[in-house]
Amino acid sequence: MSRSWKLWVGGPVLAFLVLIPFLELQGGYLQTLGFLTFLYITMSTAWNILGGYAGQTSFGHATFYGLGAYTTCILTLRGIPALLTIPVAGMIASLYGLLWGYPCLRLRGQYFAIATIGVGEATRLLMLNLDDLIKNNSLLKGFLQKGVLTGGATGLMLPTPPDIQAYATAFYYGVMGLMFFALFVSWRVKNGKFGLGLFAINMDMDAAETVGVNTTRYKILALMLSAFLVGISGSIYAQYVFYIDPQTVFGFPMSIAMVLMPIIGGIGTLIGPVLGAVFYIVVQDRILTANLNLGLIKLSLSSLHLLVYGGLLVLIILFEPKGLLGVHHRFNIWWNKRKRRSLAATEKA
Amino acid sequence: MIKLNKFFPSIFLFVLLSMIIPETGFAQGPKEIILGAALPLTGGQSREGGYVNKAYAMAIKEINEAGGIMVKEYGKRIPIKLIIYDDKSDNTTSVQLYEKLVTEDKVNVLMGGYGTPLITAHTIVAEKYRVPYVNGGGATGAIYQRGMKYIFCIISSIEKLSFTLMDWIAIQQNAGKVKRPLKIALVGENTSHGKEFRQGVLEKSKAAPDRFSVVMDEPFELNMKDADPLLQKVKAANADVFLADARLADYTTIHRRYTEMGLYHLIVSYGPRGPEKAARDALGPASDYIVSCNWWNKDIPTPATKAFADKYQKTYNEQAEWFAATAYEAFRVMVKAIEDAGTLDKPKIRDALAKMDMRNSLVVGGRVWFEPNGQINNDHLIMQNMPGGKVALIHPKDVATAEAIIPIPKKR
Amino acid sequence: MIVSAILLAGLYATMSYGLALIYGVMKIVNLAHAGVMMWAAYVAFILIVHLGANPFLVPILIAPVFFVFGVLLQRYVVQRVMGAPPISSLLLLFGVWLIMQNISYLVFSGDTKAVTTKYTLMTFQISGISISINRLVVFIVGVLALVVLRQFLGHTYMGKAIRATAQDKEASKLAGINTERVMETAFGIGTALASLAGSLMALIFAFDPDFGRSHLLKGFCIVVLGGLESMIGVALGALVLALAEALSVLWLMPALQDFVSFALLVIVLIVMPGGMKELVDRLIRP
Amino acid sequence: MLDVKNIHVSYGDAQALWDVSLAVSRDEIITLVGSNGSGKSTTLKAISGLVPLSSGEIRFEKTRIDRLHAYRIVEMGIAHVPEGRRLWPGLSVRENLELGAYIRTARNVKKETMEWVFKLFPRLEERISQLAGTLSGGEQQMLAIGRGLLSKPKLLILDEPSLGLAPLLVDEVLETIQKINRQGVTILLIEQNVTRALSLSTRCYVLELGRIVLSGTGQDLLADERVKAAYLGL
Amino acid sequence: MAILLEGRKVSRNFGGLAALLNVNFQVRSGEIVGLIGPNGAGKTTLFRCITGVHPPTFGRILFKGEDISKLMPHHICVMGITNTHQVVKPFPEMTVLDNVRVGAFFGKGWVRGEVKDATQEALRVLEFTGLTSKANFLARNLTLPDRKRLEVARALATRPELLLLDEVVAGLNPTEVDRMIRLIQQLRESGITIFMVEHVMRAVLSVSDRLIVLNFGEKIAEGPPDEVARNPQVIEAYLGKNYASGKSHYA
């Protein structure tokens, strides 16, 4: 029963997603929305591997996103084919994860979270000033090309291809593939030895250690895997918008988004981060563009986005730690109860 | 494992929800020319975004009161409508919203937002879908040096700003008001804006080593808490002239500390900042004599400026700042381009923009035209804060209202 | 330069006391601290600019209001997650911070605001060093806050109860201490201290609804440096950070000034989680 | 004075006490004995409000106290000196004692009570400004008892006051407890040192696996082989 | 019988206080050794030294002749020593089966990455410990006796040679205690050496081959159960001096 359901619902949904670029729905806007949704699902899923499965809340994932984006731009501007830079971006992000993850992951719980805020902000500042730092250092000067490596605050611009629309469509499918890859990785992790170890770490670090889980190694591996996927996302983002600057790709809001999505959707689950990302994009899209007329006061809903996210976060922590998935479960229970009751009622009649 | 049938009610509810909300958004009416823009109405740049929003609203009202835009192709005036979204001062969101404007809302043309990073990001969308885009808030030259065809900007570059400033200082040297060569302490916010400003100054001083020598050149972090370390360096540099490029908040922070530390220079400038009311309130007499170099001021003695400034004052009961003026003018330029083109065909509107020569404009020099790269290249306006909260326009000659007081008088 | 670093340390200390107090008693990392500082700055702005209040009285006026706010926040929101793992309280308060920011955007818009008073640019000279009155006042308040806080914690029943609860909650219950009341009071005082810092900062810095984020991180850095719980430690931590920042200019670009504090935060967390006290202990004891 | 009736206590799903009842009359010394994990500490915690009951009731001087906050129970006149002493190590001896007199009724007579405690434990007066964490084990135990006494309790509950003390000190502490009892404070005690405990108490309860299996006067139980069985399983 | 685990002058300090002082002990293959002593005697500390959670400050611990006193807990586990915790520490939000699978995956009997094998191993252990019917329960929903069993099952899934049991029967009622004792005996029959801390004397006396007694961090007695129970030092530690002398009086 459940398998046929999956086919019946999953098949058309997948077909619909694949066909979006040809359907020009909402004038093709759905394609953009789809692109962003897939990208955010990838990041949300990636964050969830470390934050959800292993339980290590990171406020510093923008570092990977930014590093991925910068790696791609820097390499592309030096003549390396953009597609080749994607795995490099992932690996560099991953290595950076190893660099700060190794010391930071020794910290527990909230200390780790705070340290990641520090790492994130420090990285952003460093990238902002990297060019000037290198300029003042005779040894590293060689990395500059016309005096530019990261472009400092100006950021980097990529040349735009002649047919941007076809290019965008290609990226739509590319990022869709990436999303499925991320989901597959997440699924494999969750149902394999690796995920079991991460869950054990999440539940009780000491107990995990005593049944043979090498907690340090597993946490770092989770961070690196997570960083790899986020780095690739950053790389693809850079290639899609052709322009990056440190405040955007290394910015705190980016890190926050990656924390919020899985928590809203349902932390530590496979589907939760997906729900969270879809919710995040839809809310962003709808809220930023809608207005609310309350008689005399005309409220632009856009001014409420932080309230929505903050409020959701508070409500989720206080009442439903499993996020939207948890809400869904409750809803289901209620729905089934109602159905049963109405069934019973008809039987009685 | 996930059982989708279990998800069905929730999915149904979610789809329902996501479909309900857009109804509260804008409905498209027939026979309208639709313009679109995403502005930073919240987040870091919301203040400037707010000015742009007000200016656009004023321009639309004006044009619709006159019956709309005359489009030759249809032989009648068509009212206009502007769709404005909030991009939270966030690049990714901004790109998403411009995509939405072009694809879902089917705008005829795009208007710009405010801020270099945001505008840099927008331009890709406009170029991608070949929709004409005019802005009055993204001056950084780098945006326009990428060979894009649909992007236009009615404010000249920051580099040009620093050129104008340096040229003006050279004039003061020629007049014997300050010595030559001058030692310059240069600082700029760590943004593309600040970088371009510093580059411009450096370029000019390299070109004229007999006039200028830059003895210190430092970027600083946006929204700084503590200006001390920076100003200690400035103090140590022992320069004659202090040139900075900063946003309002940092300008206030730095100059407060500057005054408290008792620093003095012959000429002090914060680039485009200086005459803003908020800053003058915050700094009081300490803001006197600061020289600023900018795109517009309400005191420019031309009828166009006066008309706009008065109207803005009447509509919003506040003084017009340059953000509003250039945004308003960008809007008028776009309208003129549609009228010139006589059609809603996007490439034709673009061509009209490229050929644009608008007279009696608000901008310095009164004339709007575009270089091949899409950016205007007119002079900047140099102003000086005068005691009593007044502002004097001191350069260029044709708009000057007073003589500059240089060097800055030493206090006590 | 050293003088100005010391003056700045007073401010840094003031903004960190509250963090340390709340952490000490409840082991909660209060991310809403930044929100409170930001709100306090706005309230100070309204009182001073629109209502003409004396800028140096304002902190005293608003602290009690924020005390009540803190008590209510603890009683109705934070209390609910006391038993849960610490990360949930961190996320919860992060949510509260986002909400506070949004409310400020709604009420005050994103404009950068600055408070100007007749004291704003006043300075006086001591042996060639000009000292800003505002900063001196802020420094004095920082020191006073330390003294008052120590007096309160050391010599009143409530203060001692707070310290006792921080050390052993169950034992405190058995001694007849209403620990929930104590925690509410501690959260209230922590919030009041944040508001004190916020209103003082309004006198010096320009601010907007995003104000406080980097201050918060500096606060963490200071609290960790200070060994997490002792108020004297916090004051010393503030001094160390202010000096480190000031001295870093000698070999780093001023633009990287904040980088110093963030990097220091991470390093201190990793290398000496017990703060300077631990370091000193280690040095003394071979 | 204290009447514990049929209480059941669970930690989460794990039940720790089954149907425990005991009574304490004025001026008695009651001892709970039993091996580790038999529920002695849990019983005391239930009385002083640290763990909630799942059923049953506790009355103190006719008033029901099993739903009250811990601090309210202290205010009613029950002081609990917990296992492992649980001092505030970073506070001085004086501060530890002062906080013992936190409740309002005790604050007013703090001075006299303090003098009384110093008479009982002269060593504490010598160490008055030292941090509690720097005291020796025996001194810490004295301080813990002293802190309990400062709330002017009618009933003093002591959880293993001799834990981790050298034999000589054990004698000293237990003697002081008797002295306190003679001065009008009822005592409820857990003591591992069975012989000593039994010989000084008026009555005893033996717990095993969360249930009371035996009760009687100290002398009776001292002769009972089952007591030894409870300890050594012989 | 070969010596499986040996401690040589194991000492452990906490902030200057000695929790263990020069403790020498041996556990031979196939034995059940009981570790007893009053509260705070250092029993759990000794276990933590062995499992590497709190490595000994001085002294060495040898497992099959290899020094393990500097190894990380997970490493020690993979070598073949596992423990259960005094306060049970199941992974609460995981199913019983997953809890045990963690042990099967990561322990000594490392199943090479194959989920199927690990699951089979886990199911086998669940069968052995009598938890099969609850395999899909979340661990947090188990009753205390079942949680204790789960604790043992998870440890068992790592295929230890030496199992350290820290108060596995504490808090159980008499029937449950009997069931647990039977389980322990079955474990021994399956070839696992057991070292256990226990307060419930009935349990420890009925299964142990040998007892080690700690008091104040030092070993005060060692030997067969009945002999240890008669040891005057032990009686004094538990019952007090008077009782020891009084015993002869009553006897």
Side-chain angles (χ1 to χ4, degrees), chain E residues 221-243:
Chain E
E222 186 176 357
D226 48 342
E227 191 181 296
V228 166
R230 266 181 273 128
N231 183 318
Q233 255 186 305
V234 176
I235 293 171
E236 188 195 326
Y238 266 103
L239 300 177
K241 207 185 283 175
N242 296 348
Y243 198 101

Side-chain angles (χ1 to χ4, degrees), chain E residues 101-115:
Chain E
R101 268 171 38 177
V102 174
F105 259 138
F106 292 93
K108 188 185 175 223
W110 190 46
V111 193
R112 286 225 169 250
E114 282 295 322
V115 182

Side-chain angles (χ1 to χ4, degrees), chain B residues 80-97:
Chain B
I80 55 172
K81 176 183 155 92
L82 177 67
I83 302 177
I84 287 183
Y85 294 140
D86 176 10
D87 62 23
K88 313 186 282 186
S89 311
D90 173 64
N91 278 2
T92 315
T93 314
S94 209
V95 168
Q96 183 192 344
L97 292 173

